[in-house]
């Protein structure tokens, strides 16, 4: 069982930010990544549709014999985690709870900001996760739909990204949040822009980095840690791989190697 891979899925390329963190924390583990590029974005779709897509993506990874499943997509974690946990008999790690936990560890004024896709914000999954950990926490959320295409365009630090960030974040600055959860796969790429717009008074919480820590803890807890090296990640997508390869190599800072197209669902 320890020799099996960890399965990671996302709606597309964004989940590579989670893969990068898992790989840097757990370099021995073999990773299998699935990006549902034929059906991206998930962030604008209804919870029922996202749940169906998530179950099909997970089914594909489970058919590859993975030992643990990481739901890298915030939108899928927000609406499909209970269904995934019910359907599959293996540890399933989402990105919401780890981000919420970290936010509460660093917030001093107990007022946390959350940014994500429309679907993630509408689901209030972060609000519930934060309140479950601290019933008195105040939460202010904002959907930032333009950040996804900006990151994919390689414009995360462009003037346009700064303008968009100032618009989106103004209500959170006015509400005086002291911590901001980056509740979307793409947002870690915008960290320096967000930090510049928000200044030192607001701490940024990277859900991807926190999720990697949870994956490590789950492997330990279930006795699933691998001792020898599992080799490079395997990449699968549901549409032609060209764009995934190009944007993915920009996200990771190196080329991905072979990416295979598969049909799911
Ligand atoms: N991966 C999605 C998320 O983290 C962003 C892209 C999409 O909308 O599918 O919510």
């Amino acid at each position: 069982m320890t020799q099996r891979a960890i399965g990671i899925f996302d709606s597309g390329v964004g989940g590579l930010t989670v893969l990068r963190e898992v790989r840097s924390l757990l370099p021995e583990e073999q990773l299998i990544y699935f990006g549902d590029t034929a059906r991206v974005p998930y962030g604008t779709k209804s919870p029922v549709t996202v749940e169906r897509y998530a179950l099909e993506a997970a089914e594909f990874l489970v058919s590859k014999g993975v030992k643990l499943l990481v739901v890298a997509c915030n939108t899928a974690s927000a609406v499909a985690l209970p269904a995934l946990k019910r359907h599959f008999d293996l540890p399933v790690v989402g990105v919401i709870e780890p981000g919420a936990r970290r936010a509460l560890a660093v917030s001093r004024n107990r007022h946390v900001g959350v940014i994500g896709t429309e679907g993630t914000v509408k689901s209030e999954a972060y609000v519930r996760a934060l309140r479950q950990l601290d019933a008195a926490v105040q939460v202010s959320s904002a959907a930032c739909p333009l950040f996804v295409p900006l990151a994919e365009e390689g414009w995360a630090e462009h003037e346009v990204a700064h303008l968009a960030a100032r618009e989106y974040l103004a209500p959170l600055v006015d509400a005086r949040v002291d911590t901001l959860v980056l509740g979307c796969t793409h947002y870690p790429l915008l960290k320096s822009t967000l930090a510049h717009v928000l200044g030192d008074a607001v701490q940024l919480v990277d859900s991807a980095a926190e999720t990697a820590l949870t994956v490590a803890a789950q492997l330990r807890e279930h006795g699933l840690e691998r001792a020898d090296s599992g080799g490079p990640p395997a990449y699968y997508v549901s549409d032609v791989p060209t764009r995934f390869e190009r944007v993915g190599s920009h996200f990771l800072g190196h080329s991905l190697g072979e990416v295979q197209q598969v049909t799911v669902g």
Side-chain angles (χ1 to χ4, degrees), residues 78-193:
V79 303
L81 206 62
L84 289 163
K85 287 187 168 168
R86 267 197 319 273
H87 273 76
F88 299 102
D89 187 22
L90 79 179
V92 181
V93 176
V95 289
I96 307 278
E97 215 260 346
R101 190 175 293 283
R102 179 72 192 156
L104 289 174
V106 297
S107 174
R108 291 169 308 269
N109 72 0
R110 316 315 277 167
H111 194 160
V112 173
V114 177
I115 54 175
T117 64
E118 259 175 72
T120 298
V121 168
K122 236 188 242 160
S123 75
E124 301 209 319
Y126 272 106
V127 182
R128 282 196 302 279
L130 285 159
R131 294 247 164 88
Q132 213 152 29
L133 296 164
D134 176 353
V137 70
Q138 261 186 290
V139 188
S140 298
S141 309
C144 305
L146 287 178
F147 285 170
V148 167
L150 284 169
E152 294 198 3
E153 197 60 31
W155 285 13
E157 284 162 32
H158 192 282
E159 211 185 320
V160 176
H162 281 259
L163 276 174
R166 270 199 286 278
E167 283 291 323
Y168 284 141
L169 300 178
L172 304 187
V173 171
D174 290 348
R176 301 197 186 285
V177 303
D178 76 345
T179 305
L180 182 70
V181 181
L182 311 184
C184 174
T185 46
H186 291 60
Y187 299 178
L189 280 104
L190 285 116
K191 252 187 210 164
S192 79
T193 297

Side-chain angles (χ1 to χ4, degrees), residues 2-260:
T2 56
Q3 299 304 99
R4 294 186 178 207
I6 294 173
I8 303 179
F9 79 88
D10 178 48
S11 54
V13 71
L16 292 176
T17 56
V18 176
L19 174 134
R20 183 179 59 188
E21 298 294 339
V22 173
R23 192 152 168 73
S24 98
L25 189 67
L26 302 164
E28 304 304 329
E29 296 293 338
Q30 213 229 318
L31 307 179
I32 301 181
Y33 183 92
F34 172 70
D36 197 2
T37 51
R39 305 192 289 196
V40 71
Y42 285 7
T44 51
K45 302 212 166 71
S46 70
V48 174
T49 298
V50 173
E51 185 178 299
R52 176 161 58 84
Y53 290 174
L55 288 169
E56 289 169 359
E59 190 68 61
F60 168 72
L61 291 170
V62 168
S63 78
K64 296 271 165 208
V66 298
K67 61 184 174 184
L68 180 145
L69 204 55
V70 182
V71 188
C73 181
N74 281 255
T75 310
S77 294
V79 303
L81 206 62
L84 289 163
K85 287 187 168 168
R86 267 197 319 273
H87 273 76
F88 299 102
D89 187 22
L90 79 179
V92 181
V93 176
V95 289
I96 307 278
E97 215 260 346
R101 190 175 293 283
R102 179 72 192 156
L104 289 174
V106 297
S107 174
R108 291 169 308 269
N109 72 0
R110 316 315 277 167
H111 194 160
V112 173
V114 177
I115 54 175
T117 64
E118 259 175 72
T120 298
V121 168
K122 236 188 242 160
S123 75
E124 301 209 319
Y126 272 106
V127 182
R128 282 196 302 279
L130 285 159
R131 294 247 164 88
Q132 213 152 29
L133 296 164
D134 176 353
V137 70
Q138 261 186 290
V139 188
S140 298
S141 309
C144 305
L146 287 178
F147 285 170
V148 167
L150 284 169
E152 294 198 3
E153 197 60 31
W155 285 13
E157 284 162 32
H158 192 282
E159 211 185 320
V160 176
H162 281 259
L163 276 174
R166 270 199 286 278
E167 283 291 323
Y168 284 141
L169 300 178
L172 304 187
V173 171
D174 290 348
R176 301 197 186 285
V177 303
D178 76 345
T179 305
L180 182 70
V181 181
L182 311 184
C184 174
T185 46
H186 291 60
Y187 299 178
L189 280 104
L190 285 116
K191 252 187 210 164
S192 79
T193 297
L194 298 174
H196 187 257
V197 168
L198 291 169
D200 293 341
V202 179
Q203 306 226 44
L204 302 181
V205 171
D206 180 344
S207 288
E210 296 310 318
T211 301
L213 294 168
T214 303
V215 171
Q218 286 278 311
L219 289 179
R220 262 197 315 277
E221 194 182 308
H222 294 274
L224 291 172
E225 294 159 293
R226 182 181 186 124
D228 58 333
S229 173
Y235 298 102
Y236 296 90
V237 289
S238 52
D239 194 10
V240 285
T242 329
R243 182 179 161 82
F244 180 86
E245 285 164 349
R246 178 168 56 78
V247 178
S249 62
H250 165 64
F251 272 38
L252 292 183
H254 59 78
S255 99
L256 305 181
E258 198 196 355
V259 179
Q260 292 181 59

